């Protein structure tokens, strides 16, 4: 017997209409290239969303078209999210840090019809002139006074387009399984792969993110998403904030600028933020050198890469900011696990430190398991580590326009490419990417554990560990370290630092000091490039 409840479609339009009605006065503050502190409200934003929807329709954009963005986090990008998805089109956020050839590949693969972009990215598109035939028009996200000169044709000004449009728009009916947004994974091998979100997956992900032991936001919070809107929809915050009704603060291009972030936090009363470890390092460094404080900030999420304990401790002990570690990926919208607020007193110092660096427990809606090489499920004992697989309504079922992929097994589980442990309380901990795992004498060594230990040394700015061929053990860890400015640190001292902190056979076999470490377009250490860079290295005999 079927139940008797309404089958209202779960759409981004419904979130937008709710926010417009219930949270109309909520403020959005942005740093943009044409205004260091732009302010408007949800009500203003959604009026402009309707104007933009009219403008796109007039330009010839149609349902199911992919409409791309090349943009930082700001109010115009927020407006584009809603105008495009709620018109039944697909909002394709492109990472501008990718190589031009990758951007070209992605635009052509997605068959993008229009591109909306920040002024700063116009030269990137000029390089691609003639190579992206599907693109019918380029809309520069600025006003007439700040429109740059360009060699490109079919270029429009965002504000001029909106000016003459009506504030009324009749939103189309949308099936909840319709595509809403598209994001390509940066991929360490091969071409980037597209993840196509649905309206339904976005709404369900938003509900989950709002749970108390997940983001747990309220309408009196002030949220600054530092994680880019081109990287898995800023971890869902532009949608969560619409439903919760919290004030939004967008840092624009200034996401790694400690000084700008500090003044935004203090001036706007930011209570909550989200970003990758690199961003937090920049902020903490600025706070240390300037002596400034960030009193309004209560909690931040760190994710996207392993986070050293020292960041968590510095935030809490010096600034009274609680840091939640979260794990997820582009293919998961992105939230998979979240480390909730832990009770320091009840756990005791060492257990507290051990638990809080973990990626946390899976969020209701996501199912997790770890398996061995034969796909046999491993125990949740905090010791066994294996390939991490996931299932759930906001996990991708296949890649965009890619028939063949070995990411899903016969039972529909998605292989995340991560290697992890899960303890008896359900707390997951990433030990490596499966491609980066070091196998020494047949046993696995976690490069992430070694990197985290290295950066806990007060003289270390950043560290990477890669597996290098070894005569006796097949592979051994090689440690690469960037020292802090002016710091004195010898190789022997660095390697001795691992004693007692990791198993003795895990201690790297050598350490090299370097000036920089290769990163991917999403700011993660690029182990593939590092392995290539050090391919001629041999361990001292
Ligand atoms: P992306 O799709 O670019 O967001 O990258 C997802 C990948 O980032 C995951 O598969 C992990 O390898 C890594 N990652 C994300 N969060 C964490 C975390 N908390 N700890 C360690 N690695 C993480």
């Amino acid at each position: 017997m079927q139940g008797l409840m309404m089958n209202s479609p779960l759409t981004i339009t419904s979130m937008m209409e709710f926010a417009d009605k219930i949270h109309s006065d909520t403020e959005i503050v942005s740093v943009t290239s044409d205004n260091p502190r732009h302010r408007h409200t949800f009500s203003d934003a959604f009026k402009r969303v309707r104007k933009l929807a009219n403008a796109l329709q007039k330009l010839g954009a149609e349902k199911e078209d992919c409409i791309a963005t090349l943009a930082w986090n700001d109010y115009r990008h927020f407006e584009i999210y809603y105008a495009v998805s709620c018109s039944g089109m697909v909002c394709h956020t492109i990472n501008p840090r990718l190589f031009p050839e990758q951007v070209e590949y992605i635009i052509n693969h997605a068959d993008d019809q229009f591109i909306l972009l920040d002024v700063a990215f116009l030269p990137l598109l000029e390089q691609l002139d003639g190579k992206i035939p599907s693109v019918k028009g380029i809309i520069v996200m600025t006003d007439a006074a700040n429109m740059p000169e360009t060699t490109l044709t079919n270029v429009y000004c965002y504000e001029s387009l909106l000016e003459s449009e009506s504030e009324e728009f009749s939103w189309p009916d949308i099936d909840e399984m319709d595509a809403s947004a598209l994001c390509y994974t940066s991929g360490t091998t091969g071409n980037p792969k597209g993840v196509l979100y649905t309206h339904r997956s976005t709404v369900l992900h938003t509900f989950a993110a709002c749970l108390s032991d997940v983001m747990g936001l309220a309408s009196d919070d002030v949220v600054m998403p530092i994680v880019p809107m081109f990287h898995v929809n800023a971890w869902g915050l532009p949608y969560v904030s619409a439903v919760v009704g919290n004030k939004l603060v967008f840092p624009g291009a200034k996401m790694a600028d400690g000084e700008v972030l500090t003044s935004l936090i203090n001036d706007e009363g930011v209570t909550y933020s989200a970003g990758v470890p690199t961003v937090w390092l920049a902020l903490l460094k600025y706070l240390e050198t300037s002596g400034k404080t960030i009193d309004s900030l209560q909690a931040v999420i760190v994710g996207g890469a392993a986070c050293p304990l020292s960041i968590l401790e510095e935030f809490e002990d010096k600034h009274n900011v609680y840091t939640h570690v979260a794990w997820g990926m582009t293919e998961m919208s992105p939230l998979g696990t979240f480390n909730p607020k832990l009770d320091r007193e009840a756990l005791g110092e060492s257990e507290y430190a051990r638990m809080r660096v973990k990626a946390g427990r899976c969020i209701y809606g996501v199912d997790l398991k770890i398996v061995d090489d034969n796909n046999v499920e491993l125990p949740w004992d905090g010791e066994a580590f294996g390939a991490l697989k996931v299932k759930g309504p906001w996990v991708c079922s296949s890649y965009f326009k890619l028939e063949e992929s070995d990411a899903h097994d016969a039972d529909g589980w998605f292989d995340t490419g991560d290697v992890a442990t899960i303890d008896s309380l359900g707390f997951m901990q990433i030990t490596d990417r499966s491609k980066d795992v070091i196998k020494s004498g047949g046993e696995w060594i976690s490069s992430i554990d070694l990197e985290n230990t290295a950066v806990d040394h007060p003289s270390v700015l950043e560290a990477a560990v890669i597996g290098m061929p070894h005569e006796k053990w097949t592979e051994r860890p090689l440690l690469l370290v960037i020292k802090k400015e002016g710091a004195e640190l010898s190789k022997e001292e660095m390697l001795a630092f691992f004693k007692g902190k990791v198993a003795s056979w895990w201690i790297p076999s050598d350490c090299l000091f370097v000036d920089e470490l290769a990163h991917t377009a999403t700011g993660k250490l690029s182990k593939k490039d590092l392995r290539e860079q050090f391919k001629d290295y041999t361990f001292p005999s």
Side-chain angles (χ1 to χ4, degrees):
M1 180 166 62
Q2 294 235 306
L4 295 169
M5 285 292 144
M6 291 186 191
N7 188 10
S8 310
L10 304 175
T11 62
I12 294 173
T13 317
S14 70
M15 295 200 278
M16 173 181 69
E17 287 177 336
F18 174 81
D20 198 14
K21 216 183 278 173
I22 306 299
H23 303 302
S24 55
D25 293 339
T26 298
E27 210 182 4
I28 304 176
V29 180
S30 305
V31 177
T32 66
S33 61
D34 51 33
N35 190 339
R37 214 55 83 88
H38 177 275
R39 290 170 189 281
H40 70 351
T41 63
F42 276 10
S43 170
D44 301 328
F46 292 125
K47 269 183 205 140
R48 286 163 53 85
V49 164
R50 295 190 288 273
K51 281 169 169 260
L52 178 59
N54 277 311
L56 288 170
Q57 200 175 53
K58 266 198 201 133
L59 287 175
E62 291 177 358
K63 202 161 184 252
E64 295 194 6
D65 278 354
C66 284
I67 310 292
T69 65
L70 272 165
W72 300 116
N73 294 8
D74 68 23
Y75 69 102
R76 292 189 183 108
H77 208 172
F78 177 89
E79 291 163 2
I80 297 163
Y81 263 42
Y82 285 94
V84 171
S85 301
C86 300
S87 298
M89 298 182 286
V90 180
C91 183
H92 172 202
T93 51
I94 305 177
N95 182 345
R97 295 188 186 126
L98 293 171
F99 292 120
E101 304 76 49
Q102 286 176 310
V103 174
E104 176 189 335
Y105 168 84
I106 287 176
I107 292 172
N108 287 327
H109 188 264
D111 200 28
D112 288 329
Q113 301 295 305
F114 288 89
I115 302 180
L116 293 104
L117 84 180
D118 280 343
V119 173
F121 303 124
L122 208 49
L124 170 62
L125 273 205
E126 283 168 351
Q127 277 184 60
L128 302 184
D129 196 13
K131 297 178 181 167
I132 43 174
S134 62
V135 178
K136 295 180 189 139
I138 290 158
I139 303 171
V140 185
M141 294 159 63
T142 191
D143 53 19
N146 290 289
M147 271 301 277
E149 293 281 316
T150 175
T151 52
L152 295 169
T153 49
N154 288 340
V155 176
Y156 306 90
C157 165
Y158 187 95
E159 292 301 333
S160 306
L161 279 181
L162 260 59
E163 222 167 62
S164 51
E165 290 302 338
S166 158
E167 283 176 8
E168 302 303 317
F169 187 79
S170 170
W171 297 108
D173 286 339
I174 285 176
D175 183 306
E176 63 177 19
M177 287 304 283
D178 281 352
S180 60
L182 174 65
C183 186
Y184 281 73
T185 61
S186 37
T188 44
T189 50
N191 281 320
K193 295 196 279 278
V195 178
L196 193 59
Y197 307 108
T198 62
H199 281 260
R200 179 175 188 267
S201 69
T202 308
V203 173
L204 291 175
H205 182 266
T206 304
F207 273 125
C210 288
L211 293 171
S212 322
D213 264 355
V214 188
M215 292 183 185
L217 293 167
S219 56
D220 59 356
D221 271 307
V222 179
V223 177
M224 178 162 70
I226 305 181
V227 52
M229 290 172 76
F230 57 72
H231 190 189
V232 219
N233 305 321
W235 297 347
L237 281 167
Y239 305 117
V240 169
S241 299
V243 169
V244 169
N246 56 261
K247 173 176 165 183
L248 271 166
V249 178
F250 287 124
K254 303 290 184 182
M255 40 185 68
D257 184 326
E259 187 175 356
V260 173
L261 295 180
T262 303
S263 60
L264 283 171
I265 293 169
N266 289 327
D267 298 351
E268 304 300 334
V270 171
T271 60
Y272 200 90
S273 186
V276 295
T278 331
V279 162
W280 300 133
L281 272 177
L283 176 64
L284 290 169
K285 193 172 169 203
Y286 173 75
L287 294 174
E288 193 178 339
T289 47
S290 67
K292 295 211 169 130
T293 57
I294 39 170
D295 300 336
S296 61
L297 193 64
Q298 293 164 12
V300 298
I301 312 176
V302 62
C307 183
L309 179 62
S310 53
I311 292 188
L312 278 57
E313 287 180 337
E314 196 167 336
F315 257 132
E316 184 165 11
D317 299 338
K318 287 197 188 152
H319 302 287
N320 204 20
V321 173
Y322 194 86
T323 312
H324 297 279
V325 177
W327 166 86
M329 56 198 310
T330 308
E331 288 89 335
M332 300 178 68
S333 306
L335 287 175
T337 63
F338 201 91
N339 200 325
K341 182 134 197 218
L342 301 175
D343 188 336
R344 188 172 189 164
E345 229 175 272
L347 286 168
E349 286 303 310
S350 70
E351 187 59 5
Y352 180 61
R354 203 179 68 80
M355 292 299 287
R356 62 189 307 214
V357 288
K358 296 194 180 203
R361 280 190 295 218
C362 59
I363 298 165
Y364 167 68
V366 176
D367 210 359
L368 283 185
K369 68 175 178 180
I370 43 173
V371 298
D372 67 12
D373 290 346
N374 300 316
N375 205 20
V376 174
E377 194 163 353
L378 292 166
W380 289 23
D381 59 7
E383 297 288 328
F385 49 102
L388 180 63
K389 294 193 166 189
V390 291
K391 252 188 182 176
W394 55 86
V395 178
C396 78
S397 58
S398 61
Y399 289 105
F400 185 43
K401 297 185 192 167
L402 196 73
E403 305 281 298
E404 294 279 304
S405 153
D406 52 11
H408 294 83
D409 68 19
D411 300 323
W413 286 86
F414 173 75
D415 188 342
T416 63
D418 285 324
V419 175
T421 60
I422 306 177
D423 68 19
S424 56
L425 300 171
F427 279 72
M428 187 272 280
Q429 185 159 23
I430 301 283
T431 57
D432 252 313
R433 287 294 292 167
S434 51
K435 293 185 203 82
D436 300 335
V437 155
I438 301 165
K439 237 175 177 179
S440 172
E443 298 288 338
W444 283 2
I445 295 177
S446 160
S447 64
I448 290 183
D449 273 7
L450 294 177
E451 286 156 9
N452 283 343
T453 307
V455 293
D456 281 341
H457 191 290
S459 301
V460 173
L461 184 68
E462 199 179 2
V465 174
I466 49 174
M468 297 300 295
H470 189 278
E471 259 184 13
K472 183 169 173 193
W473 301 107
T474 322
E475 222 177 29
R476 288 290 304 156
L478 169 67
L479 172 66
L480 306 166
V481 167
I482 305 180
K483 282 190 250 188
K484 283 193 184 152
E485 226 174 276
E488 298 279 335
L489 178 66
S490 70
K491 169 164 116 177
E492 291 70 27
E493 210 184 315
M494 181 72 249
L495 294 177
F497 184 71
F498 287 91
K499 284 198 183 129
K501 298 188 176 79
V502 298
S504 59
W505 59 276
W506 279 33
I507 298 177
S509 294
D510 198 8
C511 164
L512 301 177
F513 293 107
V514 293
D515 293 330
E516 55 181 10
L517 290 166
H519 287 89
T520 66
T522 47
K524 298 176 214 275
L525 283 168
S526 176
K527 301 278 178 88
K528 187 184 71 160
D529 290 330
L530 291 173
R531 281 192 288 265
E532 176 61 26
Q533 188 184 342
F534 291 93
K535 67 178 189 301
D536 297 328
Y537 170 88
T538 48
F539 284 108
S541 51

